[in-house]
Amino acid sequence: KFSPFGFLSSKSRKGELQGKRVVSRLKNFGLGYFFIFPKMGFWTLMEGFLLFANALAILNEDRFLAPRRWTLAEVSGGARNSVKGQLIGLIYACQFLRLPLILFNIIFIVVKLFSG
């Protein structure tokens, strides 16, 4: 009996997984290389950036950022050019631009509804 995921338990004589059998079984199952190497286009990349910006925009300053000393008051002068200072600036920029983020979310949702 053919099992498409039977390769998880099958081992070669030397104890190594048989990579060629994995790919051939995936091809026979109709998944091709998509299961191993998914395609990522420009639209998917933009969706990822939008989700990342949404995650930064909802961080609460009092509950999350202040106990970890990730506020603009903690970063002064020359420390703003450090990696931590740049990340704090990015977080606050995403929080400041919530209205455009809402509009971009609406656009992405509408496009996804019509394109599938």
Side-chain angles (χ1 to χ4, degrees), residues 3-4 9 24 26 30-31 41-43 51-52 58-59 62 68 77 81 85-86 91 101 106 110 115:
S3 172
S9 62
S24 66
L26 288 174
L31 297 176
F42 181 72
W43 184 258
L51 289 172
F52 183 68
I58 64 168
L59 290 176
D62 296 332
R68 289 162 180 79
N81 292 334
Q86 295 289 321
I91 291 170
L101 271 176
I106 291 171
V110 169
S115 68

Side-chain angles (χ1 to χ4, degrees), residues 18-39:
Q18 299 170 346
K20 292 180 182 179
R21 287 184 62 197
V22 170
V23 173
S24 66
R25 285 187 183 188
L26 288 174
K27 281 183 181 179
N28 290 340
F29 194 59
L31 297 176
Y33 288 103
F34 178 76
F35 199 70
I36 298 174
F37 302 110
K39 294 180 182 179

Side-chain angles (χ1 to χ4, degrees), residues 55-73:
L56 293 179
I58 64 168
L59 290 176
N60 191 333
E61 183 176 357
D62 296 332
R63 292 182 184 175
F64 184 77
L65 298 174
R68 289 162 180 79
R69 296 183 181 174
W70 279 56
T71 60
L72 284 178

